[in-house]
Amino acid sequence: KKFIVNLETTEIEAEIADGKKYTFWTFNNIVPGSFIRIRVGDEVELHLKNAANSVLPHNIDLHAVTGPGGGAEATTAVPGQEAVFTFKALNPGLYVYHCAAPPVPMHIANGMYGLILVEPEGGLKKVDREYYIMQGEFYTKAKTADLLEFDNDKGNTEIPDYVLFNGKKGSLLGKNMIEAKVGETVRLFVGNGGPNLVSSFHVIGEIFDNVYPEGGSVVNHNVQTTIIPAGGAAIVEFKVDVPGEYVLVDHSIFRAFNKGAIGKLKVTGEENAKVFKKGGSK
C-alpha cells in the first residue's frame, strides 16, 4: 500500500510541570509527535512542513527508513517551506523518529521525537488495549517567571530537571491515567526520545508476558523491567488479572519520584482472590 503522511514542525509554549510552561519544539503540536503506523512493504510519501513562525530549519530522521540520514537531508525545510520524500518500509519493528537538524541535541531535547510502527506481514496480533508512551528528559532554565527554555549547559552534563512520559509531568496520572478491565490484554508502545538517558521501564505489580526488546522481532517472556536506549523503543504486552492502580515508572527510581517519570494504569473489574488477596488467616 501507499500512504501519505503529513507532519508539521511547530514551536509552542505549553505546560511542562507545576504551572510552568516550556518552549517545546514539536511534530504536529504534541510531544511525542504523531504515532505513525504502517506495514512492512508499504510505500510512504512523507510531507514535512516547517511552520512559518519557526525559529530554525527542521527535518525528520526516521529510524525505520533505509537511506541516507533516514530522510533528514531530504526533508530539511526552512520556516514556511514544505519538503517531501518517499521510502519503502523494508523492516518490521517499532522505531523512533526525530529531528536531525543542527544542533541535533537541542532539537531532540526540545521534544522533536515520536514513534513509527512497521507491522509485520499480517499485522500484530489483536489485543484489547494499545497505548503510546514516550519518555524524554528536559534540561531547563528560566526565561521568565513562568516560562522555561532549553539549557545547553545542563544538557552537556546529562543531568536533567525533568524526566517525563509524553512531555508533561502528570501526563499519565489522575484523569489522564490509561485504563483497562480485568481479563484484558494491554499493549504498550514505549519509546525513549532521550536525548541522553537510558530508560528502565517497569510497571509495578505487573509482569510483562511479552517484550519485543528494542522494538525488534525477538520476543522475551516473563520480564520485570526492560531497558530502552535513547533513540530506541520496546513493545510490551501483559494481561491484567486484578483490579487496582498500577504504577508505570522509569526504575532508575529517583527519576520517577523526583523528576516526573511516573504514570498509572487503572484496572477495573472483579477481584480475583486466587491471584491477589489482601490480609489472610492468622
Side-chain angles (χ1 to χ4, degrees):
K1 294 182 179 180
K2 185 171 183 177
F3 289 89
I4 296 177
V5 174
N6 292 291
L7 294 173
E8 183 175 14
T9 63
T10 57
E11 297 163 17
I12 62 172
E13 292 180 6
E15 187 175 8
I16 186 170
D18 306 323
K20 296 286 187 180
K21 290 187 175 182
Y22 182 81
T23 304
F24 292 97
W25 296 356
T26 76
F27 291 100
N28 288 352
N29 290 312
I30 52 175
V31 178
S34 300
F35 190 82
I36 303 170
R37 189 168 193 158
I38 58 176
R39 286 196 183 180
V40 67
D42 286 345
E43 294 182 6
V44 178
E45 180 180 294
L46 191 142
H47 295 245
L48 185 73
K49 182 179 180 180
N50 190 357
N53 63 349
S54 291
V55 176
L56 294 172
H58 294 302
N59 61 25
I60 187 168
D61 168 5
L62 302 105
H63 292 185
V65 168
T66 301
E73 183 180 354
T75 55
T76 297
V78 299
Q81 185 183 55
E82 180 176 318
V84 181
F85 88 114
T86 61
F87 69 92
K88 186 170 184 176
L90 300 180
N91 301 85
L94 181 64
Y95 299 94
V96 168
Y97 67 80
H98 61 85
C99 186
V104 177
M106 181 181 185
H107 289 247
I108 297 174
N110 278 331
M112 298 194 79
Y113 46 74
L115 291 181
I116 175 170
L117 173 67
V118 183
E119 294 193 57
E121 292 183 10
L124 294 175
K125 67 179 182 180
K126 185 177 179 180
V127 295
D128 300 294
R129 308 269 182 163
E130 292 183 332
Y131 293 103
Y132 173 28
I133 299 170
M134 202 157 184
Q135 182 173 319
E137 70 260 17
F138 293 87
Y139 305 86
T140 70
K141 61 183 177 183
K143 184 176 181 179
T144 67
D146 300 319
L147 180 63
L148 304 174
E149 63 181 359
F150 174 66
D151 187 321
N152 190 67
D153 291 336
K154 288 183 179 178
N156 281 326
T157 66
E158 301 187 9
I159 303 176
D161 298 287
Y162 301 100
V163 183
L164 304 175
F165 295 138
N166 293 358
K168 181 181 178 182
K169 191 174 183 180
S171 66
L172 300 175
L173 295 174
K175 65 180 181 180
N176 300 317
M177 284 189 287
I178 58 176
E179 298 180 349
K181 296 179 180 179
V182 168
E184 291 184 332
T185 299
V186 178
R187 174 181 290 140
L188 304 180
F189 299 108
V190 188
N192 182 10
N196 293 319
L197 304 181
V198 171
S199 174
S200 301
F201 186 74
H202 177 76
V203 178
I204 300 173
E206 266 298 342
I207 298 164
F208 302 142
D209 299 319
N210 303 310
V211 173
Y212 298 76
E214 299 177 13
S217 300
V218 172
V219 183
N220 290 340
H221 305 290
N222 306 318
V223 176
Q224 59 186 315
T225 301
T226 190
I227 292 290
I228 306 175
I235 302 172
V236 303
E237 300 168 343
F238 53 94
K239 182 181 178 182
V240 288
D241 298 292
V242 180
E245 294 183 358
Y246 294 81
V247 181
L248 288 63
V249 297
D250 180 342
H251 214 298
S252 299
I253 208 71
F254 272 80
R255 299 175 191 168
F257 291 98
N258 292 1
K259 297 193 174 185
I262 190 167
K264 284 186 177 181
L265 164 67
K266 183 178 181 179
V267 178
T268 56
E270 296 295 323
E271 298 282 352
N272 187 342
K274 291 183 179 180
V275 175
F276 184 89
K277 182 180 180 181
K278 296 179 180 179
S281 58
K282 294 183 180 179

